[in-house]
Amino acid sequence: MKQYGRLWARIWQGGSVRVLEQGPKDALIESRGLSVARGRYFSHAYMGVIHAAATMFASTVYVRLRRGATPQTHVCQLSWV
């Protein structure tokens, strides 16, 4: 999770990301300013990317979408075991 910002810069053009730890196995991932985020299916595809990346480090992963402040803001709640 500490390297998420570096990974973001390699995958996406523009936008920003913030990872907030909420507990020992919980985090919020907030992305802002992506032009592709306006797409109809982006939210679910983005949750799938986060889930796939987290399964490399944890056996069970849960990703939930939370409402962002703007249409270009996506907040995912990530929990793992």
Side-chain angles (χ1 to χ4, degrees):
M1 297 308 299
K2 293 179 182 181
Q3 300 300 322
Y4 201 89
R6 290 180 60 199
L7 181 63
W8 181 272
R10 293 179 183 198
I11 295 174
W12 303 103
Q13 291 183 355
S16 63
V17 67
R18 179 171 68 163
V19 178
L20 303 167
E21 286 187 44
Q22 296 211 304
K25 294 184 178 187
D26 298 292
L28 282 179
I29 301 172
E30 179 182 69
S31 62
R32 295 182 181 199
L34 281 176
S35 59
V36 297
R38 288 182 243 161
R40 187 174 182 178
Y41 301 106
F42 177 80
S43 299
H44 294 286
Y46 184 56
M47 286 187 342
V49 169
I50 291 173
H51 185 275
T55 56
M56 290 190 284
F57 306 103
S59 58
T60 305
V61 177
Y62 302 99
V63 182
R64 292 177 204 92
L65 185 65
R66 297 176 64 184
R67 184 175 294 270
T70 67
Q72 291 183 340
T73 301
H74 288 80
V75 179
C76 292
Q77 183 176 355
L78 177 64
S79 303
W80 61 92
V81 178

